[in-house]
Amino acid sequence: MGKLTNFKRSLWVFHASGGSCNACDIEIVAVLTPRYDAERFGIKLVGSPRHADVLLVTGAIPRDFADKLRRIYEQMPDPKAVVVIGNCGTTGGVFYDSYNIAGPIDEVIPVDVYVPGCPPRPEAIIDGIVKAWLKIEKLEKELEGKEK
């Protein structure tokens, strides 16, 4: 059995869709429904990257969206984490090597957690967000150590 962790605070998540079939987007919505109820763990979807701790990215990234995704990433306060949801964002999926795709998301912005699947199950998405949460808390501890 894994080590249980108490998180210090809620985790706010911003979702950016690069233009996918929306299957991953629907699974993210399923994470928020009463069946999975991610808000009971403190995971909340927010409408602005300036308030977010984690960036969820879905879909293959078209060339014209790559700059916008970089800008969204730069607007997020530190410490932050990026979670790629689904195969399209991880490898390009069915859009691999397409003329209009900027490449996998890790060629556009740094990625911390990958959640593979087409689409991934809501449980896998929650697991990926928790891994990002642990990374952020580790970064916060390192920042606190440097300040002392």
Side-chain angles (χ1 to χ4, degrees):
M1 186 164 177
K3 182 179 127 182
L4 296 176
T5 303
N6 290 328
F7 297 111
K8 291 182 185 177
R9 60 186 176 86
S10 294
L11 189 76
W12 288 10
V13 176
F14 182 79
H15 172 225
S17 177
S20 59
C21 70
N22 292 339
C24 294
D25 304 329
I26 291 168
E27 295 302 314
I28 290 171
V29 171
V31 167
L32 302 172
T33 61
R35 179 176 179 115
Y36 296 99
D37 194 16
E39 285 194 20
R40 69 187 158 143
F41 303 120
I43 301 168
K44 181 174 171 46
L45 198 63
V46 294
S48 170
R50 295 180 191 278
H51 299 142
D53 303 303
V54 174
L55 176 60
L56 297 181
V57 186
T58 58
I61 303 300
R63 293 187 194 284
D64 64 343
F65 186 67
D67 289 334
K68 295 170 182 69
L69 184 62
R70 279 188 208 97
R71 194 169 354 160
I72 289 169
Y73 177 78
E74 290 166 1
Q75 288 176 357
M76 293 175 60
D78 288 326
K80 57 190 164 195
V82 176
V83 179
V84 175
I85 309 291
N87 292 342
C88 291
T90 303
T91 63
V94 297
F95 306 104
Y96 175 77
D97 210 22
S98 177
Y99 73 96
N100 193 35
I101 300 302
I105 293 171
D106 60 7
E107 292 181 10
V108 179
I109 58 174
V111 174
D112 300 296
V113 180
Y114 295 92
V115 181
C118 186
R121 301 216 13 106
E123 296 92 339
I125 294 171
I126 292 171
D127 183 59
I129 293 170
V130 168
K131 287 178 182 173
W133 203 341
L134 293 170
K135 182 223 176 219
I136 288 173
E137 289 209 343
K138 181 180 174 185
L139 289 173
E140 286 177 343
K141 285 181 185 178
E142 290 174 5
L143 288 173
E144 289 174 5
K146 287 180 182 179
E147 290 176 358
K148 289 183 181 179

